[in-house]
């Protein structure tokens, strides 16, 4: 039994170390909020571990004094009971003190978190859909307002204000290496301030059960230096790149004639659907279908040809396309950088 | 009803007792147990209290032991089904992008797992244990409202069958056991799946409420003479507090499910934000039930721990009064912390901080209980048998669950771990550690009372170690994978997140844990058939249920015991004093005063009847039909009325005609 336990322990440690490189981990903070929370998690864990060990030690003692014979029930001894009462009362008092301490600690951590976004400059509206994220960058100049999907670009080192809501069911926005989660609820607007210390890509995922494809509702926060972020924004404001090859041109025509146009928008073309992700610069994104597939020609084709095979239950319908038609549409979309 | 003329053989000398008996009109009275010899008493009581023979007889039984046995077996079968669900889910999650089952089936599986474990296993099994034990522990002959008790069993079974048949037809709810709107609402929950959830919840809760009411009345009014409030066993106290929590919490979920069905069937907009409703209202109502629910499951388990520890530590429990007050405090506080399930919904910060404080506070009475049990063990000389082993398992696991509960109570910390596998780990530590381990201990502890045979100690130890190792292997790593960012309720996950190995380990642990239940089931069946005879009191425990034979006769006690101590069997090592004066040709009980348990009046207990079963069928049919049309409530009212009239049809009673 002891050997088994030590093997299990070693396996647990190995697993633990292996997972520390995760990029969607509350224990691998990349921003001030997540750092504060990671500290809090470790402090609580340490304290709880100490308490647990103490309770187990208290449980182990009577085991040492165990007896195997059947004994007559003991008669109570008032003196011993009084001594026990003092010990129990002390333990209860200590528990209360620890709990008050932890309550205060959470309260102060709350204040630290609230202070992160006090001078938030950039505001991004994130709207949850089954099962993708609509991302709208607010700006005082209407022509600079930008709508994209699934990936959120932010300037590194600056606080960003996210306005969270949903148009269908409840979702929850969660990028653990930057911040705790907050729900997107239809009819409610929640505010979450986030900040990434350094440039990088941070993965997030919907955390509230939202139906068939809850598992495949990923998102990425891409933190860049301010200059690159501005450049990216300006690029995204441009209308879609015109198709260059004949095949891509055919693809554009097909896109506009087929049901694709009912749901998707492509800036600079007549396509203006809003119920599905904006595809104006789709090829510049890292993934397809809210983090389900990495962006590549093959995956684009697979996703369009068989969306229900990739994401069963998703709202992307199967559009009847021949092989050539599929290739043409993929060629067109591939050019939308 | 006639006034009480009960006397205790201990208090009154025989000659005065005889004159006391002469006070009532003997010609209107049947034979009484006063002065009757044991053999004829047994013959009379057996004839009066037996369950009628034949299939109709079995279906009309109102004996609390018969009904409780059915409840226990049914709930155990639902546990196996819910456990199988979990194993299938764990196989699907044992590696990234595993294609064993798709999202549609997976979402039904985890919904059915939650619904089954919470509504069809955990609550019914703790209530069923109470139905069996409470009348025996308070020294009475049947539970209060025996026909209502039979009715609630049939309602519970039909609710469970309803859910599982819908699962077999692939129309089981797939919106989670919590069924948040708008996902479960008319717009995003097409088909009948969410309707099945809503109606099944409503009618299994009817059953819970009925049992709670019967339990409260049994404890308050049917206690043996002398069992004043301070002499009620802790297990019975825990059931009393639990029943009150049920009475106040269950209506909240019934309102939630009824509002949902109104939105879906009648077209109201209670939860529709576009029409002035609010999706968050659902969560408030649901968790106002949902958090006390945890304590509905946990409190009876603490009562079991309080029964097992003294029996094996060989001393009365330390801090009896403190434990009672803790039970009551937990009962009250459990209503003040539902919001900690909703910290991520963006509620005002000050309110959330208040709920942090109140959630932390509930750890204090729970701490008092843990410390009192530890003190009992310290002072005693523990005899280690399987039931006590499971109590040690309870300490080992539940304390971890309680401590991670403190972590979840902290608003900022909860924002990272809420709705992740950390929470899955936490509540399985609380519910399995806090309730299932004590229940397993209780199964080994009370099995001899129920069947008259001992369970195998050797298999019991194997079961314990397999369960302890399997459980921790399955659930401890979930804390870690949750902190690594794995959300709950996902049917798959991408390989590049690096959760594959740890999930494989978790799944292996889950299979091991499931196997421990297979071993337990084998032990149950094997011991019921071939176990060593137990005798009346195999553990030399101190409470009243051990005073009668194992298994108990249909009338529980030949003569109603008189209680002088919390552990009457330890206080009176020779024989218990008894009260006499009850009729033996009719089902009579002693009704006693609430606080002091002075015998007050003699009351008739209901006779067997088929009507509760028919009424349950009428109610079940109405609910089933009502997932298709609201008119079902109108048409269903007729058969329900007929069966209720049959049930309550008055029968002549010579004493009432005076």
């Amino acid at each position: 039994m002891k050997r088994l336990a030590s093997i299990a322990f070693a396996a647990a440690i190995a697993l633990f170390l292996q997972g520390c490189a995760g990029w969607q981990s509350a224990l691998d903070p990349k921003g001030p909020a997540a750092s504060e929370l990671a500290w809090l998690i470790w402090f609580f864990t340490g304290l709880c571990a100490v308490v647990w060990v103490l309770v187990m030690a208290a449980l182990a003692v009577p085991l040492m004094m165990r007896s195997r014979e059947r004994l007559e029930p003991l008669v109570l001894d008032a003196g011993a009971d009084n001594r026990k009462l003092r010990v129990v009362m002390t333990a209860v008092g200590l528990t209360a003190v620890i709990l008050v301490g932890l309550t205060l600690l959470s309260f102060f951590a709350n204040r630290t978190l609230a202070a992160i976004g006090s001078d938030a400059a950039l505001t991004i509206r994130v709207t949850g859909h089954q099962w993708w994220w609509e991302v709208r960058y607010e700006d005082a100049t209407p022509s600079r307002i930008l709508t994209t999907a699934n990936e959120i670009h932010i300037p590194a080192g600056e606080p960003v204000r996210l306005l969270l809501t949903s148009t269908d069911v409840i979702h929850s926005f969660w990028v653990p290496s930057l911040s705790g989660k907050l729900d997107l609820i239809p009819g409610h607007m929640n505010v979450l301030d986030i900040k990434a210390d350094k440039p990088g890509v941070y993965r997030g995922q919907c955390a509230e059960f939202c139906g068939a494809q809850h598992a495949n509702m990923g998102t990425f926060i891409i933190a860049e230096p301010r200059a690159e972020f501005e450049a990216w924004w300006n690029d995204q404001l441009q209308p879609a790149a015109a198709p260059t090859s004949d095949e891509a041109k055919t693809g554009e025509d097909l896109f506009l004639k087929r049901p694709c146009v009912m749901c998707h928008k492509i800036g600079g073309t007549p396509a203006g659907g809003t119920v599905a992700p904006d595809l104006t610069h789709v090829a510049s994104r890292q993934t397809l279908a809210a983090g389900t597939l990495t962006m590549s020609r093959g995956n684009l084709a697979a996703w369009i040809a068989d969306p229900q095979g990739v994401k069963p239950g998703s709202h992307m319908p199967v559009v009847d396309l021949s092989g050539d038609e599929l290739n043409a549409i993929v060629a067109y979309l591939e050019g939308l950088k | 009803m006639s006034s009480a003329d009960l006397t205790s053989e201990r208090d009154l000398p025989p000659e005065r007792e005889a004159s006391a008996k002469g006070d009532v009109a003997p010609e209107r009275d049947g034979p009484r147990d006063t002065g009757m010899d044991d053999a004829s008493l047994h013959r009379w009581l057996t004839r009066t209290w037996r369950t009628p023979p034949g299939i109709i007889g079995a279906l009309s039984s109102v004996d609390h032991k018969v009904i409780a046995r059915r409840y226990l077996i049914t709930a155990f079968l639902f546990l196996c089904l819910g456990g199988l669900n979990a194993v299938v889910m764990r196989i699907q999650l044992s590696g990234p992008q595993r294609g064993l089952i798709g999202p549609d089936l997976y979402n039904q599986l985890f919904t059915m797992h939650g619904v089954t474990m919470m509504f069809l296993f955990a609550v019914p099994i703790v209530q069923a244990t109470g139905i069996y034990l409470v009348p025996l522990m308070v020294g009475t002959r049947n539970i209060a409202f025996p026909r209502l008790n039979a009715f609630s069993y049939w309602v519970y079974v039909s609710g469970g069958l309803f859910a599982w048949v819908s699962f077999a037809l692939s129309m089981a709810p797939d919106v989670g056991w919590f069924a948040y709107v708008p996902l479960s609402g008319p717009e995003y929950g097409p088909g009948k799946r969410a309707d099945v959830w809503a109606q099944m919840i409503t009618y299994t809760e009817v059953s819970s409420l009925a049992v709670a009411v019967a339990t409260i009345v049994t404890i308050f009014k049917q206690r043996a003479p002398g069992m004043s409030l301070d002499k009620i066993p802790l297990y019975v106290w825990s059931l009393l507090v639990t029943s009150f929590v049920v009475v106040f919490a269950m209506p909240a979920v019934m309102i939630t499910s009824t509002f949902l069905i109104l939105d879906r069937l009648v077209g109201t907009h209670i939860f529709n934000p576009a029409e002035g409703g609010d999706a968050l209202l659902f969560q408030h109502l649901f968790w106002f039930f949902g958090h006390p629910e945890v304590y509905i499951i946990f409190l009876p388990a603490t009562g079991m721990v309080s029964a097992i520890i003294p029996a094996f530590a060989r001393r009365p429990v330390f801090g009896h009064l403190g434990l009672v007050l803790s039970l009551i405090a937990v009962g009250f506080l459990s209503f003040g912390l539902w919001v900690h399930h909703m910290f991520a919904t963006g509620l005002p910060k000050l309110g959330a901080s208040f709920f942090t404080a109140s959630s932390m506070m509930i750890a204090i009475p729970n701490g008092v209980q843990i410390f009192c049990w530890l003190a009992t063990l310290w002072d005693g000389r523990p005899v280690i048998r399987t039931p006590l082993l499971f109590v040690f398992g309870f300490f080992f696991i539940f304390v971890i669950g309680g401590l991670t509960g403190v972590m979840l109570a902290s608003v900022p910390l909860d924002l990272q771990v809420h709705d992740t596998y950390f929470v899955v780990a936490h509540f399985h530590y609380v519910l399995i550690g806090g309730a299932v381990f004590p229940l397993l201990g209780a199964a080994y502890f009370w099995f001899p009372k129920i069947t008259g045979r001992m369970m195998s100690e050797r298999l019991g130890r194997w079961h314990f170690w397999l369960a302890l190792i399997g459980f921790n292997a399955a659930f401890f790593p979930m804390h870690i994978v949750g902190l690594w960012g794995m959300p709950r309720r996902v049917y798959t996950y991408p390989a590049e997140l690096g959760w594959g190995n740890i999930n494989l380990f978790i799944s292996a642990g889950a299979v091991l844990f499931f196997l421990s239940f297979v071993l337990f089931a084998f032990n149950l069946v094997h011991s019921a058939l071939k176990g060593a005879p137990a005798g009346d009191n195999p553990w030399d425990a101190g409470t009243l249920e051990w005073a009668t034979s194992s298994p108990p006769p249909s009338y529980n006690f030949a003569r109603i015991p008189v209680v002088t101590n919390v552990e009457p069997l330890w206080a009176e090592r020779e024989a218990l004093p008894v009260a006499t004066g009850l009729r033996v040709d009719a089902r009579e009980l002693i009704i006693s005063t609430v606080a002091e348990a002075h015998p007050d009046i003699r009351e008739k207990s209901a006779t067997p009847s088929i009507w509760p079963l028919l009424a349950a069928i009428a109610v079940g049919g109405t609910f089933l039909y009502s997932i298709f049309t609201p008119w079902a409530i109108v048409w269903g009212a007729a058969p329900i009325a007929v069966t209720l009239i049959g049930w309550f049809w008055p029968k002549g009673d010579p004493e009432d005609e005076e």
Side-chain angles (χ1 to χ4, degrees):
Chain A
M1 201 62 76
K2 230 174 220 165
R3 220 180 112 73
L4 206 80
S6 62
I7 290 172
F9 185 72
I13 296 290
L15 282 164
F16 191 82
L17 293 175
Q18 170 241 4
C20 267
W23 56 340
Q24 181 176 309
S25 168
L27 300 179
D28 186 20
K30 301 292 186 193
S35 302
E36 172 77 16
L37 294 174
W39 179 85
L40 205 62
I41 290 169
W42 285 116
F43 183 83
F44 269 71
T45 308
L47 191 67
C48 290
V50 170
V51 171
W52 184 78
V53 167
L54 287 178
V55 174
M56 287 306 113
L59 184 62
V61 172
L63 287 185
M64 308 293 169
M65 323 184 294
R66 60 193 267 187
S67 63
R68 288 173 185 283
E69 320 87 272
R70 155 90 38 110
L71 292 168
E72 276 295 294
L74 294 174
V75 185
L76 295 186
D77 164 10
D81 259 26
N82 266 335
R83 281 195 295 281
K84 289 273 171 333
L85 186 65
R86 275 200 290 279
V87 176
V88 168
M89 291 315 289
T90 313
V92 172
L94 270 177
T95 311
V97 169
I98 291 176
L99 291 173
V100 170
L102 292 179
T103 308
L104 290 176
L105 209 61
S106 336
F107 185 67
F108 291 128
N110 246 352
R111 293 224 309 203
T112 312
L113 295 187
I116 287 170
S118 53
D119 52 351
L122 178 65
T123 301
I124 303 174
R125 253 169 218 278
V126 179
T127 308
H129 297 270
Q130 280 180 328
W131 292 274
W132 60 283
W133 310 85
E134 181 186 331
V135 187
R136 192 168 102 142
Y137 296 76
E138 298 289 350
D139 198 284
T141 320
S143 64
R144 282 187 56 80
I145 292 174
L146 169 67
T147 303
T148 67
N150 295 331
E151 284 177 12
I152 303 174
H153 285 247
I154 60 169
E158 290 178 34
V160 176
R161 173 150 295 176
L162 301 180
L163 302 180
L164 307 172
T165 189
S166 164
T167 53
D168 42 44
V169 303
I170 299 173
H171 305 274
S172 194
F173 182 85
W174 186 39
V175 183
S177 53
L178 294 184
S179 162
K181 64 183 69 59
L182 196 57
D183 289 354
L184 302 91
I185 305 169
H188 290 256
M189 177 73 78
N190 280 331
V191 179
L192 179 67
D193 293 316
I194 59 166
K195 184 173 156 189
D197 288 331
K198 291 199 197 77
V201 178
Y202 311 109
R203 193 178 191 277
Q205 191 160 356
C206 176
E208 178 63 68
F209 180 64
C210 55
Q213 279 299 334
H214 169 56
N216 286 313
M217 190 168 162
T219 180
F220 290 88
I221 298 243
I222 297 161
E224 298 160 314
R226 185 78 201 184
E228 283 175 41
F229 170 71
E230 294 285 349
W232 171 84
W233 190 333
N234 288 326
D235 276 353
Q236 296 284 312
L237 285 169
Q238 302 306 313
T244 48
S245 66
D246 284 348
E247 192 185 26
K249 186 79 195 65
T250 320
E252 184 183 24
D253 290 342
L254 277 167
F255 187 96
L256 294 173
K257 279 188 207 138
R258 293 303 177 93
C260 318
V261 74
M262 311 277 283
C263 303
H264 291 286
K265 177 181 175 184
I266 296 182
T269 74
T274 54
V275 298
D278 186 310
L279 299 181
T280 311
H281 298 278
V282 65
S284 69
R285 293 180 201 144
Q286 300 185 352
T287 64
L288 264 171
T292 313
L293 300 169
T294 49
M295 181 63 73
S296 71
R297 190 188 168 90
N299 280 341
L300 255 175
W303 173 233
I304 297 167
D306 184 18
Q308 295 303 316
V310 175
K311 236 171 135 167
S314 79
H315 296 316
M316 168 105 165
V318 184
V319 177
D320 192 22
L321 294 169
S322 70
D324 285 347
E325 288 172 330
L326 181 64
N327 277 331
I329 287 188
V330 168
Y332 170 57
L333 292 177
E334 220 184 4
L336 300 178
K337 295 268 186 191
Chain B
M1 274 299 123
S2 58
S3 65
D5 53 353
L6 292 153
T7 54
S8 154
E9 283 178 354
R10 189 184 218 208
D11 299 338
L12 295 173
E15 57 274 24
R16 269 201 59 201
E17 192 187 313
S19 70
K21 186 184 161 201
D23 289 345
V24 291
E27 70 275 15
R28 287 196 178 279
D29 242 352
R32 300 214 183 185
D33 59 0
T34 317
M36 195 177 269
D37 66 284
D38 286 352
S40 46
L41 183 62
H42 173 73
R43 267 200 312 280
W44 270 109
L45 288 174
T46 306
R47 190 180 331 152
T48 309
W49 286 89
R50 79 201 163 109
T51 289
I55 184 92
I56 299 291
L59 295 178
S60 32
S61 176
V62 291
D63 184 341
H64 72 103
K65 298 178 292 297
V66 172
I67 290 161
R69 273 205 305 267
R70 288 175 190 162
Y71 252 115
L72 291 169
I73 292 167
T74 315
F76 185 72
L77 292 178
F78 280 127
L79 169 76
C80 295
L81 287 173
L84 269 177
N85 273 356
V87 168
V88 176
M89 285 192 285
R90 277 322 312 180
I91 294 172
Q92 162 69 14
L93 289 177
S94 61
Q97 307 284 10
R98 195 142 289 184
L100 179 72
I101 45 177
D104 179 58
L105 181 57
Y106 188 87
N107 293 343
Q108 289 185 63
L109 276 175
F110 83 72
T111 302
M112 286 302 290
H113 174 71
V115 164
T116 305
M117 290 308 198
M118 293 303 256
F119 296 109
L120 301 178
F121 163 66
V123 175
I125 206 154
V126 297
Q127 290 194 316
T129 316
I131 293 170
Y132 197 96
L133 291 172
V134 163
L136 289 168
M137 286 176 104
V138 302
T140 184
R141 288 195 166 141
N142 204 351
I143 197 166
F145 316 130
R147 288 184 183 178
L148 181 66
N149 192 37
F151 171 77
S152 58
Y153 172 74
W154 300 121
V155 168
Y156 154 66
V157 173
S158 55
L161 280 179
F162 178 31
W164 275 87
V165 168
S166 75
F167 183 54
L169 301 176
S170 190
M171 57 179 281
D174 59 350
V175 286
W177 82 280
F178 47 93
Y180 280 1
V181 290
L183 188 61
S184 64
E187 203 174 341
Y188 300 99
K192 288 293 166 198
R193 290 177 164 189
D195 306 77
V196 170
W197 180 88
Q199 295 307 65
M200 191 224 115
I201 297 292
T202 311
Y203 74 96
T204 52
E205 296 327 319
V206 167
S207 142
S208 288
L209 274 173
V211 175
V213 169
T215 307
I216 291 171
V217 176
T218 309
I219 296 171
F220 272 155
K221 295 304 291 178
Q222 292 186 200
R223 299 202 305 277
M227 188 183 276
S228 49
L229 290 180
D230 58 327
K231 297 191 187 71
I232 299 181
L234 281 164
Y235 175 74
V236 177
W237 264 114
S238 74
L239 257 290
L240 181 65
V241 175
T242 303
S243 300
F244 273 106
V245 176
V246 167
V247 167
F248 289 108
M250 291 299 182
V253 73
M254 292 165 80
I255 287 169
T256 323
S257 54
T258 305
F259 280 176
L260 179 63
I261 204 82
L262 285 176
D263 267 13
R264 295 182 60 92
L265 272 182
V266 187
T268 56
H269 294 285
I270 296 165
F271 298 128
N272 181 0
E275 299 286 342
D278 193 341
L280 272 188
L281 171 66
F282 183 97
Q283 296 189 25
H284 280 292
L285 282 170
F286 183 81
W287 291 114
F288 186 78
F289 138 83
H291 204 89
E293 165 89 350
V294 175
Y295 291 95
I296 290 168
I297 297 164
F298 172 63
L299 285 175
T302 68
M304 292 167 185
V305 172
S306 294
I308 294 170
I309 287 184
F312 293 93
R314 312 302 303 144
R315 58 150 286 166
V317 77
F318 172 85
H320 188 272
L321 179 65
L323 285 167
V324 171
L325 294 177
S326 301
L327 286 171
I328 296 171
V330 171
F332 271 105
L333 289 174
S334 69
F335 285 97
L337 33 90
W338 78 95
V339 170
H340 79 217
H341 294 263
M342 299 166 63
F343 284 161
T345 56
L347 294 167
K349 290 269 188 305
L350 184 65
S353 293
F354 168 79
F355 281 94
T356 292
S358 65
S359 305
M360 296 260 181
M361 203 155 70
I362 202 162
I364 295 176
N366 283 321
V368 170
Q369 302 199 57
I370 301 265
F371 299 139
C372 285
W373 291 323
L374 285 175
T376 311
L377 285 167
W378 268 74
D379 213 27
R381 291 284 179 276
V383 183
I384 312 237
R385 294 283 180 275
T386 313
L388 193 63
L389 274 183
F390 276 98
V391 169
F392 290 147
F394 153 79
F395 276 108
F396 186 94
I397 297 168
F398 174 72
V399 174
I400 295 181
L403 290 167
T404 52
V406 169
M407 297 172 81
L408 291 176
S410 161
V411 179
L413 214 161
D414 184 62
L415 294 181
Q416 277 291 24
V417 294
H418 180 70
D419 270 338
T420 69
Y421 266 85
F422 188 92
V423 172
V424 178
H426 157 74
F427 72 74
H428 283 92
Y429 266 79
V430 169
L431 289 173
I432 295 183
V436 176
F437 270 70
L439 260 166
L440 292 172
Y444 284 88
F445 185 59
W446 280 302
F447 185 85
K449 177 51 59 187
I450 297 175
T451 63
R453 290 178 188 273
M454 302 298 288
M455 280 183 83
S456 160
E457 188 75 11
R458 212 162 66 89
L459 286 178
R461 275 161 201 256
W462 273 96
H463 172 206
F464 170 73
W465 286 108
L466 207 57
L468 188 73
I469 293 168
F471 173 82
N472 283 291
F475 291 98
F476 195 81
M478 285 187 187
H479 292 109
I480 300 165
V481 78
L483 290 170
W484 287 349
M486 183 161 166
R488 300 161 79 164
R489 299 158 186 152
V490 289
Y491 75 99
T492 190
Y493 49 90
E496 59 266 28
L497 290 175
W499 303 330
N501 288 343
I502 196 167
N503 270 301
L504 184 62
F505 186 83
I506 291 171
S507 299
V511 170
L512 201 62
F513 189 50
F514 185 79
L515 288 179
S516 76
F517 281 88
V518 175
L519 189 63
F520 175 58
F522 174 76
N523 195 358
L524 282 176
V525 175
H526 186 261
S527 305
L529 300 174
K530 298 209 173 115
D536 293 355
N537 189 0
W539 314 111
D540 189 26
T543 38
L544 273 188
E545 78 273 26
W546 302 104
T548 178
S549 54
S550 311
S554 56
Y555 49 86
N556 288 356
F557 299 92
R559 290 186 174 86
I560 302 300
V562 172
V563 174
T564 54
N565 190 280
V566 184
E567 270 91 10
L569 299 190
W570 286 354
E572 314 275 347
R573 293 306 268 177
E574 300 305 316
L576 286 176
V578 293
T580 54
L582 288 176
R583 272 170 66 173
V584 294
D585 63 335
R587 298 185 164 217
E588 274 196 351
L589 305 171
I590 299 178
I591 301 298
S592 45
T593 57
V594 172
E596 295 298 322
H598 285 314
D600 194 3
I601 50 173
R602 294 180 288 127
E603 171 72 71
K604 290 259 170 61
S605 181
T607 48
S609 164
I610 194 77
W611 286 108
L613 171 61
L614 301 179
I617 291 171
V619 170
T622 304
F623 271 108
L624 180 63
Y625 191 27
S626 73
I627 73 166
F628 299 101
T629 165
W631 285 100
I633 305 297
V634 177
W635 303 128
I640 292 176
V642 169
T643 50
L644 290 185
I645 289 167
W647 177 345
F648 291 107
W649 194 261
K651 290 198 188 71
D653 183 337
E655 286 193 19
D656 290 336
E657 286 160 13
E658 279 184 61

